[in-house]
Amino acid sequence: MNIHYTLDDSAARLPLSIRSSEAVWDRAADLRSSPGVQLVELTTQHLLPTGLTLVDELADYFEAGAPSDSDPYGLGPCFEQRAMLEDLLRDVRETQPGLVALHEVAELFPLDFTHDLQFMLALTVIGYPAFGYVRTYKDSEGEEYHGLVVNLAQARPHVEGLLGHFSLERLVNLIRHGFFNHEGFLLTYSAYCDAIGRAPEHPAERAKDRLMRRGIAWHLSYRHDFAFYDQVLGLDAAQLSSYVARHNAHLASVEKKRGDDALAQTLDAPEPEQPWGDIAGYFAARAIAEAHGDEGLRESVAQGAAHFLRLYHALGLPALTFGG
């Protein structure tokens, strides 16, 4: 398993360096040719949607002295907190190479899986207003890349919402493990399934596969600080058992009322406030890793969700049930 990545901060560094309309046009070629800026711009145009380019929005901003009414790139809040974002970008960049730990993802796949994956990891202070998002795209030569974008303009409120205060250490961990490794595993697992032809057809089998892949992804997010995330999530042994039971009841209810086709659809889009499958899957992956280490998770990835569940059930913990 070979994960190649480029860390690009141009969608943060370039906008923050511009302070006049003249500077916009001086840096226009850099903005238009930057892979990170292109990734943020294409995603913003797609998700909002808007046809406005970043260069045009920047030029209008400095000519008018204010953002456009729609402000799709969030230039208003970006430049209102320019000094803070400049400091934050510098501090985050100074953590290199510790900001990226994708080797932890690669280690969970069989050694004979030699597929190459290309990741573009972009830091931005403008664009779609989310802490992190993923977009798969192809370059001019048709090479497929997976873009993982972190918006530092959203980072401080995101961390403060978790802690009640800001912590650079916590932010770096959220980026490295909570986002890059979490999403990196899901993307790599998808590529692995494509390569070996794993495509569960029955809804119950798809539900089991989802439980495993998302459970392992959440384990990668949380495993470096279980105590902190248990507190954030409000999880203890009793609560984890309760989530497993409620997941099973939810599954049984879906099967009874709506049938198998609805089963997979519902578990692929769990209720946002109570993601039963994600929490139950995380519980299982964590228990397997505690008992068998990374080898247990790697065997599960190689052999499939049935092996994952056999390892879990052998531990004598609250049972995960599936119909079909």
Side-chain angles (χ1 to χ4, degrees), residues 170-245:
R170 186 60 62 191
L171 172 61
V172 169
N173 286 333
L174 285 171
I175 293 172
R176 176 174 54 225
H177 302 302
F179 183 60
F180 286 161
N181 277 5
H182 181 99
E183 298 297 342
F185 175 81
L186 293 176
L187 290 166
T188 305
Y189 182 76
S190 178
Y192 177 70
C193 289
D194 288 344
I196 67 172
R198 178 182 294 166
E201 295 183 0
H202 193 281
E205 296 303 316
R206 296 202 298 272
K208 293 175 187 178
D209 185 77
R210 183 191 192 283
L211 182 95
M212 180 183 75
R213 72 176 186 269
R214 293 191 60 81
I216 294 175
W218 284 117
H219 176 69
L220 281 171
S221 295
Y222 298 154
R223 68 177 180 174
H224 293 280
D225 197 343
F226 285 136
F228 170 75
Y229 287 106
D230 284 353
Q231 182 178 9
V232 169
L233 298 170
L235 298 180
D236 55 24
Q239 189 65 40
L240 284 169
S241 297
S242 172
Y243 276 123
V244 170

Side-chain angles (χ1 to χ4, degrees), residues 51-299:
L52 299 170
T53 68
L54 177 59
V55 168
D56 288 341
E57 280 289 286
L58 283 167
D60 290 345
Y61 177 91
F62 285 104
E63 288 173 5
S68 64
D69 290 340
S70 61
D71 195 14
Y73 295 99
L75 300 183
C78 171
F79 292 132
E80 287 168 8
Q81 52 184 347
R82 184 199 297 267
M84 182 275 288
L85 289 173
E86 288 174 335
D87 290 344
L88 183 58
L89 174 63
R90 182 194 64 243
D91 291 342
V92 169
R93 283 292 304 196
E94 285 178 354
T95 65
Q96 271 294 85
L99 189 61
V100 183
L102 287 169
H103 64 279
E104 296 181 8
V105 172
E107 289 166 358
L108 295 184
F109 289 84
L111 294 177
D112 59 358
F113 179 50
T114 58
H115 192 79
D116 288 313
L117 280 182
Q118 304 285 346
F119 285 3
M120 167 66 70
L121 312 177
L123 302 178
T124 185
V125 293
I126 49 90
Y128 187 72
F131 170 70
Y133 53 86
V134 178
R135 180 183 177 90
T136 297
Y137 67 102
K138 293 183 179 180
D139 64 15
S140 59
E141 298 180 354
E143 185 77 17
E144 185 174 73
Y145 284 78
H146 300 289
L148 280 69
V149 181
V150 173
N151 190 337
L152 295 178
Q154 306 293 320
R156 193 176 195 96
H158 184 76
V159 173
E160 289 174 348
L162 287 175
L163 302 179
H165 64 276
F166 180 72
S167 164
L168 178 64
E169 179 183 5
R170 186 60 62 191
L171 172 61
V172 169
N173 286 333
L174 285 171
I175 293 172
R176 176 174 54 225
H177 302 302
F179 183 60
F180 286 161
N181 277 5
H182 181 99
E183 298 297 342
F185 175 81
L186 293 176
L187 290 166
T188 305
Y189 182 76
S190 178
Y192 177 70
C193 289
D194 288 344
I196 67 172
R198 178 182 294 166
E201 295 183 0
H202 193 281
E205 296 303 316
R206 296 202 298 272
K208 293 175 187 178
D209 185 77
R210 183 191 192 283
L211 182 95
M212 180 183 75
R213 72 176 186 269
R214 293 191 60 81
I216 294 175
W218 284 117
H219 176 69
L220 281 171
S221 295
Y222 298 154
R223 68 177 180 174
H224 293 280
D225 197 343
F226 285 136
F228 170 75
Y229 287 106
D230 284 353
Q231 182 178 9
V232 169
L233 298 170
L235 298 180
D236 55 24
Q239 189 65 40
L240 284 169
S241 297
S242 172
Y243 276 123
V244 170
R246 295 173 78 177
H247 164 70
N248 289 340
H250 176 66
L251 176 64
S253 174
V254 170
E255 287 186 291
K256 181 178 179 180
K257 294 179 180 178
R258 301 174 61 188
D260 278 350
D261 289 340
L263 166 61
Q265 293 175 5
T266 301
L267 292 181
D268 278 340
E271 299 173 28
E273 295 182 357
Q274 298 291 353
W276 315 116
D278 284 6
I279 293 175
Y282 160 59
F283 182 21
R286 175 174 170 174
I288 291 168
E290 288 174 350
H292 302 286
D294 280 359
E295 182 61 28
L297 298 179
R298 183 164 47 249
E299 288 178 359

Side-chain angles (χ1 to χ4, degrees), residues 29-41:
D30 293 334
L31 287 163
R32 289 176 176 137
S33 64
S34 158
V37 171
Q38 291 173 4
L39 175 59
V40 171
E41 185 175 70

